Amino acid sequence: MGRFVYAYFNAEFPNMTLNSDRFLADLHRLRQFGAAGVGKGVQRVAFSDADLAARDWLAERMAEIGLRPAFDAMGNLFGLSEEPGLLLGSHSDSQPEGGWLDGALGVISALEVVRAAREAGDRSLSLVSFQDEEGRYASLGGSRIWSGGQDLAEIDDNQATDGQRLRDARARLAPRPVEVIDAARFTGFLEMHIEQGPVLDQSGDKIGVVTAIVGFRELRATLTGQQNHAGTTPMALRRDAVQGFVAVAARLAEELKPLMDPATVFTIGHLSVAPNAASIVPGRASFSLQWRDADVQRLAAMEACIRRVLDDEASARGLELDVGPLESLEPVPMDDGLHALLKTAAEAVVPGQWRAMPSGAIHDASNVARRLPVAMLFVPSIGGISHDFAEDTDEADLVLGLQVLAKAVALKN
Ligand code: HGY
Ligand code: MN
Ligand code: MN
């Protein structure tokens, strides 16, 4: 696969040469930071050694092309241009068992487009790698704080599942200087991402132009009973936290159904049992409850059902119930103007092989939309797999996505 030339649509920057070899080489280089498992998996959770090393590498790439690398207090890394203009990017942290493209594709495609644009003389494009999009401390944490969705002080004591607090993780940024990055310097945000679902893979379409990003709700709950001997404690006297969890999970599987439509999702993805020993009646069960939909009424109805079932089962079993703060993101429509640019660009690059579609995953664009017009495009995920070491996309499809992104930038500029 070799270079191809991409023409800007304005006389000022006659030709932009995207280099697909360079783009793919950078993607594979980023994958090395936290490379794990078989194939192309990564473990690059927010503020880990691998994550910080990857950010330092990205900062060097940004400086190399004349951008000013700048961290903010949440560890978001920006590559700032001399002139106002579009912001391109995504995130470079990963899930605990993640794929090589989730977030990374958006950052590296942005790097290639900005680099090629600067080589053609355009100094208006900036790029960003947001921090903690994967919610190790707070879902979409970096872009949430940057966009003013919450104050840093509200989440600084949040703990990762290993107990580390965000404030202690952020301390690992030192001695890197941090600064406030003003959204006013940007005119809009474009994010390329893998679909992370089956739609493009099954349809054979090459590009998804996102119409809207779903709404998101998450609660963390803990049921506390009585830890005791598994042999001598009669069943009738037990206050077993795991049995309480099992009852909650079983009831929600039934009672949420009538509230959901085919696109609604509900996930219990995290469960920890204490003390987690075969001969001890478990005293504590902590778990996550996460649900997503495009309709806020439906999200609210599901929340009411979840809270009711938690209360019912805790009191029926004499268990203490602690429920953490609700994490929420409202459904976000894409900016009409930028969305139209992406559709025009997709039709130019892959005529008839693209579709407009909603995003079932949440993305940094959900937060950035508080401050800027945003739009997103997807490339296919093989087998619809993501948040797994096996996540992958054909390199030819990655390059098509890069072309569409560059085309949209050319149309915008
Ligand atoms: O969960 C999400 O949708 C995103 O991949 N963090
Ligand atoms: Mn992502
Ligand atoms: Mn993800």
Side-chain angles (χ1 to χ4, degrees):
M1 178 150 346
R3 294 173 168 253
F4 47 85
V5 174
Y6 216 71
Y8 256 86
F9 269 55
N10 52 31
E12 207 183 339
F13 309 113
N15 264 325
M16 174 168 95
T17 307
L18 287 174
N19 183 327
S20 51
D21 292 346
R22 181 172 64 179
F23 159 65
L24 292 169
D26 281 342
L27 258 182
H28 284 290
R29 178 67 189 90
L30 180 52
R31 173 167 66 84
Q32 300 307 322
F33 294 97
V38 293
K40 301 173 185 160
V42 295
Q43 290 178 313
R44 197 169 58 231
V45 296
F47 295 105
S48 59
D49 291 347
D51 170 64
L52 293 176
R55 287 179 192 275
D56 289 339
W57 175 80
L58 284 167
E60 285 163 17
R61 301 289 72 70
M62 293 171 178
E64 208 168 60
I65 62 175
L67 295 173
R68 182 170 75 80
F71 284 97
D72 73 5
M74 256 308 280
N76 298 314
L77 170 61
F78 289 82
L80 300 174
S81 62
E82 300 87 330
E83 299 159 13
L86 281 175
L87 176 67
L88 311 180
S90 189
H91 62 95
S92 56
D93 65 296
S94 82
Q95 282 284 337
E97 286 193 9
W100 70 299
L101 293 169
D102 180 353
L105 173 63
V107 174
I108 297 300
S109 57
L111 174 64
E112 179 56 29
V113 170
V114 175
R115 177 164 47 197
R118 291 182 71 85
E119 287 165 353
D122 179 352
R123 297 272 185 278
S124 69
L125 302 176
S126 294
L127 73 101
V128 62
S129 169
F130 284 113
Q131 179 60 292
D132 200 20
E133 189 275 355
E134 299 292 6
R136 179 167 167 71
Y137 300 95
S139 61
L140 308 187
S143 56
R144 184 198 304 198
I145 299 303
W146 178 75
S147 65
Q150 250 184 308
D151 292 335
L152 179 51
E154 294 177 77
I155 65 168
D156 226 4
D157 286 320
N158 284 15
Q159 289 181 281
T161 47
D162 65 4
Q164 189 183 49
R165 290 188 188 286
L166 174 57
R167 67 173 66 251
D168 300 323
R170 288 193 312 106
R172 306 197 69 212
L173 281 171
R176 300 169 188 84
V178 297
E179 61 185 271
V180 174
I181 310 295
D182 185 353
R185 64 184 304 144
F186 309 121
T187 55
F189 178 66
L190 288 178
E191 179 172 7
M192 175 149 87
H193 207 285
I194 49 173
E195 180 203 336
Q196 301 182 290
V199 172
L200 296 177
D201 184 55
Q202 288 176 357
S203 67
D205 282 341
K206 293 297 178 189
I207 294 288
V209 179
V210 176
T211 52
I213 302 174
V214 287
F216 170 96
R217 299 286 185 271
E218 182 172 300
L219 286 172
R220 299 284 173 126
T222 298
L223 290 168
T224 305
Q226 177 64 55
Q227 179 175 328
N228 214 327
H229 194 293
T232 58
T233 310
M235 295 307 280
L237 297 183
R238 293 183 178 201
R239 288 192 296 122
D240 181 332
V242 164
Q243 292 307 316
F245 164 75
V246 167
V248 165
R251 278 190 58 184
L252 288 178
E254 285 314 310
E255 296 181 33
L256 286 174
K257 257 188 208 147
L259 303 176
M260 297 166 77
D261 83 358
T264 315
V265 290
F266 170 72
T267 312
I268 298 176
H270 167 74
L271 169 65
S272 78
V273 173
N276 206 20
S279 293
I280 303 178
V281 176
R284 205 169 53 254
S286 297
F287 48 100
S288 61
L289 300 138
Q290 187 192 99
W291 59 108
R292 308 183 190 199
D293 194 86
D295 177 336
V296 288
Q297 266 73 38
R298 178 172 287 119
L299 291 171
M302 291 174 74
E303 179 181 352
C305 173
I306 289 165
R307 291 184 186 275
R308 177 172 45 76
V309 168
L310 284 168
D311 287 339
D312 281 1
E313 289 303 324
S315 48
R317 296 162 179 272
L319 300 173
E320 237 178 275
L321 169 65
D322 287 294
V323 181
L326 179 72
E327 289 211 351
S328 64
L329 260 181
E330 299 318 303
V332 173
M334 299 292 96
D335 172 75
D336 290 341
L338 291 178
H339 178 71
L341 281 184
L342 285 173
K343 290 202 286 191
T344 306
E347 184 57 22
V349 177
V350 283
Q353 282 195 291
W354 63 277
R355 64 174 55 204
M357 59 187 286
S359 173
I362 53 173
H363 297 285
D364 290 311
S366 302
N367 283 318
V368 176
R370 288 194 185 88
R371 308 297 297 278
L372 297 171
V374 305
M376 288 192 73
L377 70 151
F378 284 160
V379 296
S381 292
I382 296 172
I385 295 170
S386 182
H387 283 188
D388 183 291
F389 288 152
E391 174 188 287
D392 204 358
T393 299
D394 290 337
E395 291 193 349
D397 290 345
L398 297 175
V399 172
L400 285 175
L402 175 72
Q403 275 184 265
V404 174
L405 180 65
K407 180 78 163 185
V409 168
L411 291 171
K412 171 85 174 125
N413 279 5

